[in-house]
Amino acid sequence: MGRKRRWILLGVVALGTWAGFGAYTQQQKPLDPFEEAMRQRQMYLETFGVLPGELFVEEGKELFFRKGPSGKTLEECDFGKGKGVLEGVYAILPKYFPDTKRVEDLETRVYTCMQTVQGFKPSEIKRDEVKAITTYIASFSSKARIQVVPKHPAELAMYNLGRELWYTRAGARDMSCAVCHDQYAGQRVRLSPVRSPKQGLGNEWPAYRFEEDKLYTMQDRIDFCYESIAIPKPEFYSEVHIALTVYMLAEATKAGRSFEELPFFTR
Amino acid sequence: MRRKAVLLGLLLGIGLSQMGPFRARFEAALHSGGHEFAQVMLAQDKGQALCSQYRDKLPPDLIPGFLAEQKALIKYPANGKLMGDWRNGEKVFTDPKRGNCYACHAGVPEEVAYGTMGPSLTAYGQRGTAEPVVRYTYEKIYNAWAFVPCSLMYRGGVHGLFTPEETADLVAFLLDPESPINRR
């Protein structure tokens, strides 16, 4: 599917969302946000025969097979299970990669391989492209069991850094991840349910958020969280994102959690 | 022998330096998130640092000192009135950039998009407006950690999210019998 066609479709879809969202907030009683998301999802399927997330998957697929300056496509990148293997890789990331000697999540790995394998300069790499490619690769782990088990010393170090970040209280609102996502898991912030890592927090990204009409990856979602607690968002592909992701998904792994349908459709 | 002395010196150095190796690695990770992010994360005050270190559960022997230090951070309106104008209080209560209280608390019964992490504040005014109630309410809003160390409820007054006068307005929004939070 061409990119132009994707944007036209998204535009139409956005109009529908906007109308639906108006009705949603003007209700007398608050709707359950997950029920509302499922209702919206159904509406998209019936109206357009396609979900917005699938459009990002299509775009990501095109970009995955696009040749970079080196003449190579991303088929030449090892995403964790060997070159060209995409099935289930998202479920085992972040992990340690011997070639870069660091722990990388999927988004960072895409960003790395676009440089080291495909020969792009960092300034040539568009965030939207990394998001689309990430979504395409993640779609091969739809509903997969999360399997993030830190073993390599670098992975264990990342887990410990992630746990430290998780408990760090900072900023003008005295917040940390833990103070809501551990102590008050199961409660709501306004209408949004809050989950703990053991309850599977993070298992729905990448997802299309109909309220924002945008695709959010795990890193986007972490940034959104930091911004909402008055802490400036960390820059993409940082150790902050990778460490927090290792911590959350390792805890979800211990609790036997699985990913949702990826890309997910949410509020 | 000389080797032993060097090793001892090294260990002493690590022990006496301000920053352990884990802390140094942690700060490097914060800096990888960029300058603005690292700056805020590294600007923790003493209370935030203690709550982080003890995972929000302070050891009992630290609690009295912690509460006293937090209490000392509370400032009061120049005119001494701890109960102000409930109409302005409602604005501060609702404003996401100031109180943002609906994130966690129920308030006016007509507002349905409220969070459930904090207790409901609907009909809070049934406590009456005796001086100890007004003072407790003021101080709790201004600095929640002066009562519950490391609580989720943030120290809005201490951080200047609202002024002492606006804190008094929030008190009025909760306690004034005319406030919609207390209307039946």
Side-chain angles (χ1 to χ4, degrees), chain A residues 5 13 23 50 88 118 139 143 176 181-182 197 217 222 255:
Chain A
R5 197 172 138 215
V13 163
V50 63
Q118 293 197 285
S139 73
K143 299 194 171 171
S176 69
H181 287 282
D182 282 339
T217 64
I222 288 171

Side-chain angles (χ1 to χ4, degrees), chain B residues 2-154:
Chain B
R2 200 160 145 214
R3 223 193 220 167
K4 253 188 190 164
V6 170
L7 192 72
L8 191 75
L10 202 74
L11 283 174
L12 247 156
I14 290 171
L16 293 176
S17 68
Q18 293 283 311
M19 206 188 289
F22 180 76
R23 181 68 200 178
R25 180 69 186 83
F26 181 65
E27 293 195 1
L30 294 181
H31 284 293
S32 82
H35 177 68
E36 283 177 54
F37 174 77
Q39 208 175 23
V40 173
M41 294 292 277
L42 291 169
Q44 282 183 314
D45 71 6
K46 194 180 162 193
Q48 289 175 334
L50 278 171
C51 292
S52 307
Q53 181 186 348
Y54 291 105
R55 310 311 197 208
D56 302 318
K57 291 179 208 67
L58 293 188
D61 56 317
L62 290 186
I63 291 174
F66 185 96
L67 293 174
E69 276 181 37
Q70 294 301 323
K71 190 94 186 245
L73 295 174
I74 301 176
K75 293 195 175 80
Y76 299 88
N79 66 10
K81 279 179 68 182
L82 301 187
M83 223 173 121
D85 167 20
W86 71 259
R87 284 180 181 82
N88 190 49
E90 180 166 23
K91 285 182 197 147
V92 180
F93 188 94
T94 309
D95 186 351
K97 295 224 176 295
R98 291 187 284 172
N100 195 29
C101 307
Y102 280 116
C104 295
H105 298 282
V108 172
E110 289 76 29
E111 177 55 79
V112 293
Y114 59 84
T116 57
M117 292 190 177
S120 167
L121 299 172
T122 306
Y124 184 91
Q126 64 195 353
R127 291 160 177 79
T129 54
E131 199 273 340
V133 174
V134 174
R135 178 165 291 273
Y136 165 76
T137 305
Y138 181 93
E139 293 179 345
K140 173 80 177 181
I141 295 171
Y142 195 94
N143 186 358
W145 288 7
F147 298 90
V148 183
C150 314
S151 66
L152 164 60
M153 183 161 162
Y154 40 74

